[in-house]
DNA sequence: AAGCGGTTTAACCAAGTGGTCAAATATACA
DNA sequence: TGTATATTTGACCACTTGGTTAAACCGCTT
């Protein structure tokens, strides 16, 4: 209200995101989204054509906030050591800044696996360059012998898991929200260390 | 029908599980569950009191198939090297045998974080013993210096991630269902190798 | 065959759902 | 100012939802 010009469309997207995240698409109610945005329900249909379209809009907006950074990292040509650092830092930073994304994606993934994978491929996201680089490094003897695809999945799992399973990990380790935030930041160096130790040839 | 005595209750649970898994609790329809089980909708209310209760029954049944094994591993007193192997093998084996669990848990996690964490703690699942063991091993100089909780999360992430994000990983790596199954089995040795390399003191 | 408990069914219901629409209001422009 | 255009609203609707209920069905004992 105050300083920001009231942009109804963005208002709706934000409200919809909030509701969709912890209710899911099926669990969310158009009325609840409208209430959250402080507007009339019919406006949702005025700006977006309906629930499905609104969900898709929210989802695409979410995707567009993290895909570019991810794509960039996967394709960037740089020394492997530095690339790992960049990879880890990018993933963790993006997710710390947008903590709602993982739950959102995983949710969509259950209901519509093919769609999301299609989106990724369609966007041009492709792990080939990095997989090749890993194999090269192995061939050159720079890093330990290992299967490239497993290494890739390891890296992803180390970065993403604490975000996906945030509530469990936080709960099990008995951490406050602030503590967990710190923990996630810490992980950047911790993961890099862990991975580097693991791949260094002895 | 044929050999098995028709046990309606189990029939319902199985049908409900199928539907709940890829529709979520909110997205699932009682009618669809009834159809899937080949029975009348009212029977669902006869055996279970309603949708919520039915979902809870399915969820608890799922939990009871993996919690015992996990709890056992966390508490088992054995040499650290062997424990890592057991840890990884247990998690991966349980999930290969029950591939529907991760999606189910993650789904429930979004809608009701506190409940699941409560269930875990209430069940007596507690990472303390293993965390302590890790710290001891470090103190004894058996493994590299590192933060125990990060190590724990690393281990979990390496094991669980490819199951949670199954469709993405499978899609991105362009694997068939059978190939991915093999990939998951492979991971048992791959993860153990990865972790051991990482923690071994140089 | 009659009676009885547990099981299964079809028909039904109230509440809530996404979606529509004409009217009201704000906004820009002449 | 007046008027056309875009935005916003309340009231409404057709339909689906989870849930209920009375009656039918089954397998049993007497």
């Amino acid at each position: 209200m105050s300083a920001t010009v009231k942009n109804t469309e963005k208002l709706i997207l934000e409200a919809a995101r909030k509701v969709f995240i912890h209710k899911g698409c099926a669990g969310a109610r158009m009325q609840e989204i409208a209430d959250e945005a402080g507007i009339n329900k019919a406006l949702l249909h005025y700006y977006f054509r309906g629930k499905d379209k609104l969900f898709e809009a929210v989802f695409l907006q979410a995707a567009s906030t993290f895909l570019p950074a991810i794509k960039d990292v996967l394709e960037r040509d740089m020394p492997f050591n530095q690339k790992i650092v960049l990879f880890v830092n990018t993933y963790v930073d993006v997710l710390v800044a947008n903590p709602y994304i993982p739950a959102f994606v995983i949710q969509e993934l259950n209901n519509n696996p093919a769609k999301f994978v299609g989106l990724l491929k369609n966007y041009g996201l492709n792990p080939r360059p990095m997989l090749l680089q890993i194999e090269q490094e192995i061939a050159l003897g720079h890093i330990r012998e290992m299967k490239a695809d497993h290494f890739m999945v390891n890296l992803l799992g180390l970065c993403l898991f604490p975000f996906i399973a945030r509530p469990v990990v936080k709960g099990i380790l008995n951490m406050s929200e602030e503590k967990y935030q710190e923990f996630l930041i810490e992980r950047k160096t911790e993961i890099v260390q862990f991975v580097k130790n693991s791949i260094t040839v002895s």
Side-chain angles (χ1 to χ4, degrees), chain A:
Chain A
M1 289 284 179
S2 55
T4 61
V5 188
K6 66 166 178 180
N7 183 338
T8 311
E9 194 166 320
K10 287 202 171 176
L11 205 66
I12 293 178
L13 280 173
E14 212 162 311
R17 205 193 59 205
K18 272 189 206 169
V19 177
F20 279 140
I21 286 168
H22 54 272
K23 303 280 179 105
C25 182
R29 302 292 148 219
M30 293 296 267
Q31 187 58 58
E32 191 179 352
I33 295 175
D35 291 346
E36 176 75 34
I39 57 164
N40 187 283
K41 180 165 69 86
L43 260 192
L44 301 180
H45 291 83
Y46 178 77
Y47 279 94
F48 306 83
R49 289 223 264 144
K51 197 187 190 185
D52 293 339
K53 290 278 193 297
L54 176 56
F55 183 82
E56 197 164 313
V58 174
F59 188 77
L60 287 179
Q61 188 199 249
S64 73
T65 71
F66 71 90
L67 278 185
I70 303 305
K71 184 182 160 88
D72 178 64
V73 151
L74 279 179
E75 293 176 352
R76 179 92 65 112
D77 186 24
M78 64 193 299
F80 194 61
N81 259 348
Q82 294 173 35
K83 191 158 185 177
I84 288 179
V85 177
L86 179 66
F87 187 99
V88 172
N89 278 280
T90 302
Y91 267 84
V92 174
D93 283 340
V94 166
L95 292 177
V96 164
N98 307 282
Y100 63 92
I101 287 181
F104 207 65
V105 169
I106 292 291
Q107 210 174 129
E108 171 74 355
L109 214 52
N110 280 335
N111 306 330
N112 214 331
K115 192 167 132 197
F116 182 63
V117 175
L119 174 72
L120 291 186
K121 292 196 175 173
N122 188 34
Y123 183 74
L125 205 71
N126 148 312
R128 201 60 56 92
M130 185 146 173
L131 286 171
L132 287 177
Q133 187 177 13
I134 296 170
E135 279 159 8
Q136 273 176 21
E137 293 290 312
I138 295 172
L140 291 172
H142 291 171
I143 66 174
R144 214 186 272 265
E145 185 88 17
M146 60 191 343
K147 303 203 172 165
D149 46 7
H150 280 282
F151 178 72
M152 196 77 191
V153 171
N154 290 351
L155 209 47
L156 283 169
L158 290 169
C159 292
L160 300 180
F161 176 72
F163 291 93
I164 299 174
R166 186 172 194 142
V168 218
V169 177
K170 189 181 126 187
I172 291 272
L173 294 181
N174 264 317
M175 290 185 180
S176 67
E177 191 53 48
E178 297 80 33
K179 265 285 175 208
Y180 197 68
Q181 193 83 4
E182 283 177 37
F183 179 76
L184 290 172
I185 307 283
E186 263 181 16
R187 280 193 70 75
K188 289 195 282 188
T189 61
E190 205 69 29
I191 294 175
V192 168
Q193 198 56 48
F194 190 79
V195 171
K196 285 203 174 165
N197 286 344
S198 178
I199 62 178
T200 310
V201 290
S202 46

